[in-house]
Amino acid sequence: MKLNRRDALRLGLMGGSAFFVPFGVQKPLHAAPFSPQIPRFVKSLPIPKVLSPEYSDETTDYYKITLQKNRVEILPNTTTEIWGYNGLFPGPIIRQRGGNPKTEGRQSVVRFINTLGQDDGDCDIDAVIHLHGMASLPQYDGFATDFVPPGHFKDYIYPNDRAATIWYHDHAIDKTSRNVYMGLAGMYIVEDGFELDLPLPKGEYDVPLIIRDAFFEQNGSDAKLVFDNRGEKSTYGDVALVNGVPWPKMEVARRKYRFRLLNTSPSRGYQLALSREEDRMTVGEKMVVIGSDGGLLEKPVTLTSPYPALKLDMAERYEIIIDFSDYEINDCVYLKNIGFSGSIDVDTRIHTLMRFDVVRDEPDNSTIPDPLRPVKRLQESDAVRTRTFRFERSFSQWLINGRGWDENRVDANPGFGDIEIWEFENPGSGWFHPIHVHLIDMQMLDRNGLPVHPHEQGWKDVFHLGEFEKLRVIGEFGPRKPEYMTRFIHGKFMMHCHNLVHEDHSMMTVFEVGENGDEPKSDAAKPIAEMKSFKETYPEPPQVYDMEAIEEFDEELYGEGR
Ligand code: C2O
Ligand code: CU
């Protein structure tokens, strides 16, 4: 269908990009049609605080995060109730030293304390915390029914073996989309010596951009976050938030910046590109992709606007360099979202996310190394089997191979150390699915038989599966050497669509690596009354991971330096 300018105005769609492709228009089913209109590019981009450990010993840093309700100003002159880690929106950043545990890497214990209480319907807000992108033991991976009920806490232990931009978020069965929508999401950065030694932009020039959408209903000074999953299909908003602020601006110097992009939206994917003008796409703006979900790419990949845009599905991470010395002082550069294919939603003040204002000169001794970091390619010929997973909607449910979630059913059991090819299929029906596999990073082989984009060729844990697509990915389910078969890592993990509404209803399944792994619910949350200080709880640092095995495994898999 075609939409003329008047139709678009009526639907409130203009002000987006000239590349906006309005097919599949559906009216939002919200109680109120749109969030209040607010001025954009007024507030400065805030940078979420880096959380300091409460306590450290020789191998481990101990952090404490309280899940709590809070009221924060998101829309001007109003406050909004959010559910946040430490009451923050988004949560605090954990920045941890990873890498070889013998020489540099640190282990984390993060104590999550749930004080969220009840929701509007007087139901307990049971939390589950998943650190997305970390290879955690099953009992620390946030299995969807391993609850931390209100009044309880749980210590999650993380090995930090891979340098990457990852994130923690809620994973409670059936409620993940609402809980993440209400604010339960935060970034977690693992760095190692190899990466820190590279001459990439650092410090204040290394900037997280946590992107999501939200819908607000305003009543006087109360702007309520409205969660509407539209008949269990998807939840969208018409306000773009970056680091918790609607359409921020950021003043930048004429030099290179590293941006860590993370999409925490429950259901919205983005296609990112830069433009010098807000209402049309200018040609030739560059972003250089240096990393994806699982860390640095082998080589930098330059994307030049308007196409190809950088697709950022839900839960995906990309790291990019923007060199603002390509611009003059007083230039503005817009981070645009230039439209979708599949799962169309047309609330589209969302076609611009934020603005960079180039305001000053500054020296820049950073460079983008080429190559960045060796990436060992997994070989198809090493795969011992292929499995097929079909993601589709039927009987008003979101299903994988025709089945919904059953925590007691294991749908795949790769042998410990096996290399497998997983084939994801989307037979169509108007939706794309970002497929997330817990525990391991994988590599994409091809999409509909064609090579994937160069920037998709690194280590990843979320895979864009478009309509009518068949995507093949390859992964290794642990190290193959028999002497490693002690702790690292057997057990049951989840695989699901990261459209969180699809995940909740119930496009999620269990796979099990090897046998005799720890049970996902073997380390249950405890009442807050039983909580002791870290020092008392851990007179010795916990040793639940076989760190040497992890280190050797990583060297073998990732090559020198990792
Ligand atoms: Cu980001 Cu299973 O989740
Ligand atoms: Cu989906």
Side-chain angles (χ1 to χ4, degrees):
M1 82 179 267
K2 254 198 164 165
L3 214 73
N4 64 31
R5 190 180 161 83
R6 188 154 41 84
D7 290 335
L9 278 171
R10 187 162 44 75
L11 286 164
L13 307 178
M14 295 307 283
S17 87
F19 284 88
F20 168 64
V21 187
F23 54 87
V25 174
Q26 53 180 114
K27 265 213 171 148
L29 304 174
H30 306 303
F34 297 108
S35 298
Q37 298 274 344
I38 60 162
R40 300 183 294 171
F41 321 121
V42 176
K43 268 208 187 174
S44 293
L45 179 82
I47 308 297
K49 271 213 210 73
V50 173
L51 187 69
S52 305
E54 293 257 314
Y55 172 68
S56 296
D57 58 27
E58 50 296 2
T59 64
T60 305
D61 299 305
Y62 301 81
Y63 300 86
K64 196 159 91 182
I65 292 181
T66 303
L67 286 66
Q68 59 193 90
K69 292 178 179 166
N70 195 7
R71 292 197 74 87
V72 298
E73 183 181 301
I74 301 173
L75 303 185
N77 309 315
T78 64
T79 57
T80 296
E81 178 181 306
I82 59 103
W83 303 351
Y85 295 111
N86 284 348
L88 300 171
F89 185 81
I93 293 181
I94 291 183
R95 207 175 183 117
Q96 182 57 293
R97 184 65 189 246
N100 185 338
K102 273 174 279 175
T103 55
E104 56 164 343
R106 308 274 306 161
Q107 178 173 259
S108 308
V109 171
V110 188
R111 173 169 292 172
F112 286 94
I113 307 165
N114 183 358
T115 67
L116 287 167
Q118 280 78 41
D119 63 16
D120 288 346
D122 295 327
C123 290
D124 280 358
I125 304 170
D126 290 325
V128 169
I129 295 93
H130 169 53
L131 180 52
H132 178 138
M134 183 66 74
S136 308
L137 282 165
Q139 63 271 41
Y140 305 122
D141 194 53
F143 198 72
T145 50
D146 183 25
F147 298 120
V148 184
H152 288 67
F153 77 100
K154 172 165 171 164
D155 291 355
Y156 290 75
I157 306 174
Y158 303 124
N160 300 314
D161 58 313
R162 300 179 259 202
T165 301
I166 61 179
W167 65 300
Y168 58 102
H169 64 78
D170 193 76
H171 217 304
I173 189 75
D174 298 344
K175 297 289 185 196
T176 298
S177 50
R178 180 198 66 178
N179 294 356
V180 172
Y181 182 86
M182 290 303 292
L184 293 173
M187 188 179 274
Y188 188 115
I189 297 170
V190 182
E191 294 176 302
D192 63 5
F194 182 96
E195 186 169 330
L196 287 165
D197 284 346
L198 298 177
L200 292 164
K202 292 189 177 62
E204 63 177 298
Y205 308 107
D206 173 352
V207 180
L209 296 180
I210 302 168
I211 298 168
R212 61 163 291 179
D213 57 347
F215 180 76
F216 296 88
E217 211 168 69
Q218 191 178 344
N219 208 327
S221 61
D222 177 33
K224 194 173 152 50
L225 267 173
V226 178
F227 174 75
D228 174 358
N229 70 15
R230 303 182 186 196
E232 302 182 348
K233 288 209 182 75
S234 274
T235 187
Y236 296 111
D238 55 358
V239 173
L241 301 169
V242 186
N243 296 350
V245 161
W247 298 287
K249 64 170 184 188
M250 180 188 180
E251 295 193 341
V252 294
R254 296 185 60 240
R255 55 156 293 152
K256 287 186 277 314
Y257 285 72
R258 172 182 187 166
F259 293 101
R260 298 174 189 262
L261 305 169
L262 160 66
N263 178 1
T264 67
S265 313
S267 300
R268 186 184 291 279
Y270 300 87
Q271 293 189 34
L272 304 175
L274 299 173
S275 176
R276 268 173 288 120
E277 289 175 40
E278 209 219 320
D279 52 4
R280 80 185 180 94
M281 290 303 297
T282 54
V283 173
E285 321 310 327
K286 288 189 177 57
M287 39 195 197
V288 182
V289 185
I290 58 165
S292 59
D293 307 335
L296 291 177
L297 301 181
E298 192 156 30
K299 302 164 91 27
V301 177
T302 302
L303 302 180
T304 308
S305 74
Y307 286 121
L310 179 61
K311 204 171 261 180
L312 186 71
D313 272 10
M314 298 76 94
E316 273 192 300
R317 288 87 68 207
Y318 280 105
E319 299 186 33
I320 60 170
I321 303 281
I322 302 176
D323 189 350
F324 293 104
S325 72
D326 293 347
Y327 301 93
E328 302 302 326
I329 285 181
N330 293 329
D331 276 357
C332 292
V333 185
Y334 294 88
L335 180 61
K336 301 285 299 174
N337 167 32
I338 65 175
F340 293 66
S341 60
S343 309
I344 274 293
D345 178 86
V346 188
D347 286 330
T348 9
R349 288 178 282 165
I350 285 270
H351 281 265
T352 304
L353 303 178
M354 65 175 292
R355 190 178 79 193
F356 301 101
D357 295 345
V358 183
V359 297
R360 61 181 184 274
D361 280 307
E362 232 170 70
D364 184 2
N365 54 15
S366 69
T367 56
I368 308 173
D370 185 2
L372 284 157
R373 181 161 209 159
V375 170
K376 179 181 159 187
R377 309 297 326 166
L378 298 180
Q379 298 303 321
E380 251 187 275
S381 52
D382 290 334
V384 296
R385 66 185 72 78
T386 297
R387 299 179 199 269
T388 301
F389 301 95
R390 201 175 149 92
F391 293 77
E392 64 190 330
R393 182 167 174 84
S394 56
F395 307 110
S396 302
Q397 287 273 297
W398 302 99
L399 303 175
I400 303 174
N401 287 346
R403 301 201 273 191
W405 169 255
D406 175 350
E407 68 172 82
N408 298 311
R409 192 186 74 233
V410 170
D411 278 340
N413 183 205
F416 185 75
D418 285 357
I419 292 181
E420 295 196 354
I421 293 171
W422 284 16
E423 233 171 48
F424 302 133
E425 285 178 21
N426 178 350
S429 74
W431 302 88
F432 71 91
H433 306 290
I435 310 306
H436 172 43
V437 181
H438 283 224
L439 183 66
I440 63 168
D441 289 332
M442 302 177 94
Q443 293 172 351
M444 288 157 116
L445 289 171
D446 46 41
R447 185 180 273 124
N448 287 347
L450 299 170
V452 300
H453 291 292
H455 64 266
E456 292 180 308
Q457 290 175 12
W459 292 107
K460 285 187 64 58
D461 57 41
V462 180
F463 308 98
H464 175 86
L465 179 64
E467 272 195 275
F468 309 111
E469 282 181 357
K470 184 199 245 180
L471 178 68
R472 293 194 316 141
V473 303
I474 186 167
E476 180 169 24
F477 292 84
R480 275 165 295 166
K481 291 188 184 158
E483 61 267 29
Y484 294 164
M485 294 211 187
T486 46
R487 287 299 301 207
F488 181 59
I489 285 178
H490 298 238
K492 295 186 186 119
F493 294 90
M494 298 174 290
M495 188 259 286
H496 58 89
C497 173
H498 222 293
N499 181 326
L500 299 179
V501 178
H502 299 185
E503 172 189 328
D504 284 340
H505 303 284
S506 94
M507 204 174 245
M508 178 157 76
T509 188
V510 178
F511 69 94
E512 179 173 10
V513 178
E515 45 196 33
N516 303 322
D518 294 348
E519 276 305 311
K521 290 191 268 188
S522 57
D523 187 0
K526 298 186 188 70
I528 290 174
E530 290 173 22
M531 201 163 81
K532 297 205 193 83
S533 73
F534 284 124
K535 213 175 161 156
E536 280 175 278
T537 316
Y538 302 99
E540 299 291 331
Q543 288 187 0
V544 297
Y545 295 96
D546 184 343
M547 288 305 214
E548 270 173 45
I550 289 175
E551 173 56 22
E552 284 187 51
F553 167 61
D554 278 4
E555 247 163 47
E556 185 190 328
L557 188 58
Y558 298 105
E560 274 300 299
R562 175 153 177 172

